[in-house]
Amino acid sequence: MAHISAAALFLIGLGSFNQWKRKRKRLANSFPKVFKDNKIIIQTPEQDFQLDKNSIVDIRISNKPLDKENYEGNLFIIDNENRIHHILGFHDENEKYVEDDLKWFVDFILKQTGLKK
């Protein structure tokens, strides 16, 4: 009986953790981002934000462990009004893959917006 209870608690915990990961990823990727004409347009229900080389102050990334086997990567753009725009969020089992993907997206954004020639 104790083994069944422990297994049930484990499965409930595992399911809750996976739901939490999906919710965070969905929130990070919920607003459409359009890349065109050397700018990024973030479409939100309240307004559209246009980010370009004149409005982007900084691009930040975070790569942190979720648990022993999963890492979460996030990419943020800070605009000239100190607003933080969550551009991308994803996770993987390999920290190096998350780090490499984040660097690739930063380079893509720099080229797309004209901040890097």
Side-chain angles (χ1 to χ4, degrees), residues 44-116:
T44 68
E46 296 82 33
Q47 74 181 81
D48 290 352
F49 295 97
Q50 294 193 23
L51 304 170
D52 58 21
K53 65 181 177 182
N54 298 317
S55 62
I56 295 174
V57 174
D58 196 11
I59 299 175
R60 294 187 187 163
I61 58 173
S62 71
N63 184 7
K64 61 183 179 181
L66 292 174
D67 57 30
K68 292 194 277 191
E69 299 175 2
N70 291 293
Y71 294 87
E72 178 183 56
N74 290 289
L75 188 143
F76 306 92
I77 291 179
I78 297 146
D79 67 16
N80 55 2
E81 295 182 21
N82 288 323
R83 290 182 296 226
I84 298 172
H85 304 278
H86 195 183
I87 303 298
L88 179 65
F90 57 92
H91 67 274
D92 197 294
E93 294 175 356
N94 188 315
E95 182 180 19
K96 180 73 172 137
Y97 292 160
V98 172
E99 185 177 321
D100 289 346
D101 288 349
L102 287 169
K103 288 178 182 177
W104 187 90
F105 279 108
V106 167
D107 191 55
F108 173 78
I109 289 171
L110 291 172
K111 288 178 183 173
Q112 177 67 30
T113 57
L115 290 167
K116 179 180 180 180

Side-chain angles (χ1 to χ4, degrees), residues 10 18 28 30:
F10 173 76
N18 286 333
S30 61

Side-chain angles (χ1 to χ4, degrees), residues 12-64:
I12 289 170
L14 183 62
S16 297
F17 178 72
N18 286 333
Q19 283 292 98
W20 175 75
K21 283 193 317 188
R22 267 188 249 127
K23 184 179 177 182
R24 286 181 52 94
K25 190 164 56 168
R26 185 176 39 233
L27 180 64
N29 301 323
S30 61
F31 301 122
K33 286 86 176 176
V34 179
F35 294 84
K36 70 176 199 179
D37 301 328
N38 291 331
K39 63 179 97 169
I40 303 168
I41 303 167
I42 303 172
Q43 300 171 337
T44 68
E46 296 82 33
Q47 74 181 81
D48 290 352
F49 295 97
Q50 294 193 23
L51 304 170
D52 58 21
K53 65 181 177 182
N54 298 317
S55 62
I56 295 174
V57 174
D58 196 11
I59 299 175
R60 294 187 187 163
I61 58 173
S62 71
N63 184 7
K64 61 183 179 181

Side-chain angles (χ1 to χ4, degrees), residues 1-13:
M1 184 71 165
H3 295 309
I4 294 172
S5 296
L9 286 174
F10 173 76
L11 290 174
I12 289 170

